[in-house]
Amino acid sequence: MFKAMLMTLLAGAMILGTAGAIEQPVPAAAASAFKDVSVSHWAYQAINDAVSKGYLKGDGSGKFRPNDPVTRAEFAAILARVSTNENAGGAAAFSDLTGHWSEEEVSEAAGKGFFSPADYANGFKPGTPLTRVEMAKWMASGLAARDGEYKQAIEDTKDTIVPVTEYYKGGLNKADYPYVSVMLGTGLMSGYPDDSFGGGKTTTRAEVAVIIQRYETTQTKAPKAFKGLNELREVGTTGTNHLSVTSYVDPPNEHTLQSILNKNTSLRNGAGKIKVHHYIFLGGTSAKQPGSIYGRMFADKETLFLDDSYLVFIDSSVSPLTDSFSLAHYSNGMTSFLQGGIRVYGQGPTKFGYKTLPNDGSKFFVKGKETRFWSYSVVPRYVTHGDSVLRNIVADDGSYGGIILRK
């Protein structure tokens, strides 16, 4: 009945990478004359732009090699060229770069804050293809060296939810969360079509030509200019993104986000305890325009967006204190309409690997064991305290079914 009531309410109510630089220079005028880059190439304009500015170079034989993976030396040289950071000085000592074509520019990139010799204690290994997670760390570190607010953004996103499949399925180290978050939040890098980040993969020189255009612009902007990064920072520090994506105002009673976030609360039926870890709002109008960097995690083409309500996704954990704890115990026991909802439908749980409520309650909850999961509900977009009233929807069996804004 709980599911039916809320569903009734609902019914009514790229990948981009990095840039490379091969040692032999090619005059800017020859940028459009590479044998292996036709006018119809998808990155033609970006390659032309990067070569004309001296950021990227060819191989000296008239080829650009757009499909080759970018190496550490190439990307370090590119960052040294495009970055407007001040060089802190002091030559970076990499024993395996003596006499290498990239020695000076790698040292300059290190001086500008993109990495340090300590990161490569066993040698820089200049010919090694650069992984995407290395690329993310380098660029985020370079931004942080330029602007202290980016350094704070890295700190703020250490415990955020990263909207890529590796966050729940594995494949992304926690230490890499902030660097990947800064890339996703600024749009410098994005996920693959399957919503993975692919941290261990490499990036082609053509893809690099595109990303370096973005870096050139991004380095001139403050972190607050990027809505996605604002969200990731807010979630990392408060557990919710509502200030970044909505105009939601807590109703004038005890049902507030602050009263439930990260609070262990006893269910009113005494059957257990509940804690809300994260509260994610989608402030958009469709799966294509979800209004949140987290849209990809929770919404698909079958998700119903409402004109007068925000879709919300709730990361909760329940600790049952009674045998045979069921969905009815959960739904009947909530003390606030903000504490939970129904299962998350669509492809999100399978694609991203997070747990959601089952269709039935069998064997999902176990007495004495904390069970963590995501649920789905709605909250009104507009709350005026004069002519509108928040009304709880409660099913005949007493289970909670959501809220409705009655005008």
Side-chain angles (χ1 to χ4, degrees), residues 229-248:
L229 184 55
N230 292 337
E231 275 192 81
L232 292 164
R233 294 177 70 179
E234 187 184 359
V235 170
T237 55
T238 71
T240 181
N241 65 341
H242 89 279
L243 293 177
S244 301
V245 304
T246 77
S247 57
Y248 172 76

Side-chain angles (χ1 to χ4, degrees), residues 14-16 132 164 184 189-193 195-197 296:
M14 21 162 348
I15 308 167
L16 292 176
R132 282 170 56 82
V164 293
L184 297 175
M189 297 175 74
S190 62
Y192 285 86
D195 291 315
S196 66
F197 183 72
R296 67 180 70 186

Side-chain angles (χ1 to χ4, degrees), residues 214-229:
R214 294 189 174 188
Y215 188 88
E216 186 178 23
T217 300
T218 299
Q219 70 178 339
T220 67
K221 296 181 178 180
K224 65 181 180 181
F226 301 98
K227 177 184 174 184
L229 184 55

Side-chain angles (χ1 to χ4, degrees), residues 289-301:
Q289 295 181 317
S292 167
I293 199 169
Y294 292 102
R296 67 180 70 186
M297 286 187 68
F298 301 112
D300 59 27
K301 62 182 180 181

Side-chain angles (χ1 to χ4, degrees), residues 176-395:
D176 297 324
Y177 288 0
Y179 306 114
V180 174
S181 292
V182 171
M183 293 300 101
L184 297 175
T186 58
L188 277 171
M189 297 175 74
S190 62
Y192 285 86
D194 65 355
D195 291 315
S196 66
F197 183 72
K201 295 182 179 180
T202 58
T203 307
T204 69
R205 285 168 45 81
E207 291 166 348
V208 158
V210 177
I211 199 69
I212 212 64
Q213 285 185 314
R214 294 189 174 188
Y215 188 88
E216 186 178 23
T217 300
T218 299
Q219 70 178 339
T220 67
K221 296 181 178 180
K224 65 181 180 181
F226 301 98
K227 177 184 174 184
L229 184 55
N230 292 337
E231 275 192 81
L232 292 164
R233 294 177 70 179
E234 187 184 359
V235 170
T237 55
T238 71
T240 181
N241 65 341
H242 89 279
L243 293 177
S244 301
V245 304
T246 77
S247 57
Y248 172 76
V249 177
D250 278 323
N253 52 35
E254 73 278 9
H255 301 307
T256 66
L257 285 176
Q258 291 304 313
S259 71
I260 64 166
L261 276 169
N262 294 308
K263 305 287 197 312
N264 273 309
T265 306
S266 295
L267 295 171
R268 63 184 181 183
N269 53 21
K273 294 182 178 295
I274 186 170
K275 182 178 182 179
V276 175
H277 304 277
H278 296 98
Y279 210 89
I280 303 298
F281 286 75
L282 300 190
T285 57
S286 68
K288 290 184 177 180
Q289 295 181 317
S292 167
I293 199 169
Y294 292 102
R296 67 180 70 186
M297 286 187 68
F298 301 112
D300 59 27
K301 62 182 180 181
E302 296 183 8
T303 303
L304 178 62
F305 283 73
L306 307 173
D307 292 335
D308 60 359
S309 299
Y310 294 114
L311 304 190
V312 293
F313 297 84
I314 308 155
D315 175 20
S316 305
S317 56
V318 169
S319 301
L321 298 176
T322 184
D323 292 319
S324 303
F325 189 96
S326 66
L327 287 179
H329 287 101
Y330 160 70
S331 57
N332 291 346
M334 285 185 283
T335 59
S336 167
F337 65 78
L338 296 171
Q339 282 179 314
I342 63 171
R343 69 177 280 111
V344 179
Y345 288 89
Q347 299 300 312
T350 300
K351 178 184 284 190
F352 282 85
Y354 57 82
K355 184 181 291 187
T356 188
L357 290 165
N359 283 318
D360 59 31
S362 61
K363 300 180 180 179
F364 187 73
F365 296 106
V366 178
K367 181 181 178 180
K369 180 181 178 181
E370 181 181 80
T371 300
R372 189 164 174 174
F373 56 92
W374 284 90
S375 61
Y376 160 49
S377 188
V378 296
V379 299
R381 286 179 182 264
Y382 312 105
V383 178
T384 59
H385 303 159
D387 59 357
S388 300
V389 180
L390 281 172
R391 180 165 61 87
N392 286 343
I393 301 299
V394 181

